Amino acid sequence: MFSDRTNWNLTPNRLSEALAQHRATGKPLLDLTASNPTEVGFAYDSQAILQALSNPAALTYRPDPKGSMSARHAVALYCADRGASLSIDTIILTTGTSEAYSFVFRTLCNPGDEILVPTPSYPLFDFLANIQDVHLIRYPLVYDNGWQIDFQSLEAAITPRTRGIIVVHPNNPTGHFARPEDIAKLNQICSSREMAIIADEVFLDFSAVSNPAVSFAGNKGALTFTMSGLSKISGLPQMKVAWIVTSGPSQRQARARLEVIADTYLSVSTPAQLATPLLLGERRAFQNQVMSRLRANLNELDRQLSAQTSCSRLAVEGGWYAVLRVPATRSDEDLAIELLARDGVYVHPGHFYDFRGDGFLVVSLIAPERDFAEGIRRLMAKFEAN
Ligand SMILES: Cc1ncc(COP(=O)(O)O)c(C=O)c1O
């Protein structure tokens, strides 16, 4: 009765079961996986946001497959702020970066075609690709005083069915940016093989290093789909507004195809599109709060790390997460379950993000500062006691 592609194993994993059990007891939880910006104590200008959502123009339906001019104009201004000056014709709105991936996969791939994806990275890719009948092929990121793309393995993973390479800039959870030399190499690889770059820039604005990273939105060296949205930029995932910027060779044909897909769904609601200029403008106030929390939590983490010898952290260039290196005395999953059950601290095991080997935990740097400090204290106490 059902498609093979939906034949997922939906039994909860041991960690989700442990989390459900913990929640059922009503005991307090220090959630160091918290990544929903609307629930970690940031202040929003509620009045301005609600007012923008009640624009009387929302009572008329005037669909534009690419999204309204005013919303796309606001996105173009945002991109200009990130160093990419572009025409609003290059922008197509979607309800999320996740939907943007689906549209791009649909534009590039026949069933069974392949997309290269970094590992470790964001776990949702598997579902996004699976639903679109796309095969994900992983290319490794290697850590040596900082993360780098293993280009030799990346090139070895390319087959005649490879249609594109995903770059998460900065990556979740490794927090590293693509460097200018990486971009040049990706351009060379993709342009010589008729492949596209799919650049996910949802965390681009959250840089922990002094040189601001350049957006892929102005990239011309290969066909490039650059995606971002309000979820992270303005901390408003519930607004369901994101976008794809198309640049580089064959961009016109790519856009014409994307536009038909977008026209088929017309998925972004009129009230959200009308509010987009204001919601994007709200990013500065939001990002100031996030940046100060990221700095405070990272400082606290380093302060606690410097007082012990068992754990360390990997370099963070940007994004909302830190990767901890901990003694691999048991599997990451067992460790995360024990932390939850005995210490009331919830962290993500590295294997959730496809880290090779045990000994990695991922913590969210946007968790409220007190929870973060106490959660890290309990986590480290575990290793000091052992
Ligand atoms: C790297 C990355 N891309 C995309 C998304 C999803 O974003 P959206 O809410 O726009 O679908 C996330 C969400 O956490 C993410 O971490």
Side-chain angles (χ1 to χ4, degrees):
M1 190 171 178
F2 300 111
S3 67
D4 290 345
R5 87 173 72 74
T6 57
N7 200 14
W8 294 298
N9 176 3
L10 296 176
T11 39
N13 61 35
R14 291 194 302 132
L15 182 58
S16 339
E17 271 173 359
L19 181 64
Q21 270 166 19
H22 185 94
R23 289 209 159 113
T25 63
K27 284 194 218 148
L29 179 72
L30 295 172
D31 185 359
L32 301 197
T33 71
S35 61
N36 176 350
T38 64
E39 288 192 326
V40 286
F42 295 128
Y44 293 85
D45 186 345
S46 340
Q47 221 183 335
I49 293 172
L50 292 175
Q51 210 172 353
L53 289 169
S54 58
N55 188 329
L59 296 173
T60 310
Y61 186 43
R62 288 209 185 97
D64 179 334
K66 288 181 168 179
S68 73
M69 300 267 275
S70 66
R72 285 186 290 132
H73 181 65
V75 173
L77 288 178
Y78 164 76
C79 293
D81 223 32
R82 302 298 329 188
S85 124
L86 43 89
S87 143
I88 66 165
D89 290 336
T90 62
I91 300 165
I92 290 185
L93 298 193
T94 64
T95 54
T97 317
S98 307
E99 189 179 65
Y101 275 112
S102 304
F103 286 10
V104 171
F105 289 169
R106 273 313 203 198
T107 303
L108 294 174
C109 297
N110 288 317
D113 279 351
E114 295 164 2
I115 295 283
L116 296 187
V117 61
T119 182
S121 197
Y122 176 57
L124 196 70
F125 289 135
D126 288 307
F127 285 93
L128 289 170
N130 189 212
I131 292 168
Q132 309 301 330
D133 299 332
V134 165
H135 279 183
L136 287 186
I137 306 289
R138 296 176 199 276
Y139 67 88
L141 303 171
V142 287
Y143 190 81
D144 182 12
N145 277 327
W147 289 96
Q148 2 239 340
I149 299 175
D150 175 351
F151 274 105
Q152 213 181 345
S153 302
L154 183 152
E155 289 192 81
I158 296 172
T159 75
R161 300 208 69 171
T162 312
R163 310 299 334 134
I165 304 177
I166 293 177
V167 188
V168 187
H169 182 56
N171 189 34
N172 172 6
T174 61
H176 76 287
F177 291 94
R179 297 170 185 83
E181 59 274 24
D182 296 335
I183 300 177
K185 184 99 179 122
L186 289 165
N187 280 337
Q188 179 248 313
I189 293 171
C190 288
S191 61
S192 61
R193 294 176 174 87
E194 301 225 301
M195 287 163 35
I197 297 174
I198 303 163
D200 177 333
E201 297 192 343
V202 297
F203 291 113
L204 183 69
D205 293 349
F206 304 95
S207 172
V209 288
S210 45
N211 288 357
V214 178
S215 168
F216 276 84
N219 189 42
K220 295 189 173 67
L223 175 61
T224 305
F225 300 97
T226 304
M227 309 183 304
S228 190
L230 295 182
S231 280
K232 306 290 189 285
I233 287 180
S234 297
L236 294 167
Q238 74 277 37
M239 299 302 167
K240 307 303 296 175
V241 176
W243 53 85
I244 307 168
V245 175
T246 310
S247 61
S250 310
Q251 55 169 298
R252 276 177 206 283
Q253 295 99 301
R255 271 205 302 274
R257 287 160 190 257
L258 271 176
E259 198 175 325
V260 174
I261 298 176
D263 197 17
T264 307
Y265 295 102
L266 294 169
S267 50
V268 190
S269 80
T270 301
Q273 294 192 46
L274 287 165
T276 294
L278 178 120
L279 301 179
L280 253 178
E282 291 294 303
R283 73 181 182 279
R284 291 197 174 82
F286 171 71
Q287 291 181 9
N288 285 340
Q289 298 173 69
V290 176
M291 290 312 298
S292 101
R293 179 147 328 155
L294 296 176
R295 275 190 287 268
N297 282 342
L298 209 49
N299 284 342
E300 174 62 18
L301 178 60
D302 288 345
R303 193 188 64 76
Q304 294 198 32
L305 282 169
S306 67
Q308 52 83 64
T309 50
S310 317
C311 310
S312 57
R313 77 164 166 90
L314 305 190
V316 178
E317 294 176 9
W320 291 3
Y321 304 93
V323 179
L324 303 183
R325 193 94 179 76
V326 297
T329 48
R330 65 210 106 166
S331 79
D332 290 351
E333 189 176 32
D334 284 345
L335 175 58
I337 291 172
E338 192 182 309
L339 271 165
L340 190 57
R342 295 218 192 134
D343 306 285
V345 179
Y346 181 34
V347 296
H348 275 148
H351 82 81
F352 186 72
Y353 297 88
D354 215 10
F355 274 80
R356 297 280 171 250
D358 288 311
F360 296 99
L361 296 176
V362 175
V363 294
S364 165
L365 295 171
I366 66 157
E369 288 159 36
R370 268 214 226 150
D371 289 6
F372 185 85
E374 178 57 18
I376 295 293
R377 192 193 63 72
R378 291 187 200 175
L379 192 158
M380 289 189 190
K382 191 151 217 72
F383 296 104
E384 290 299 282
N386 283 341

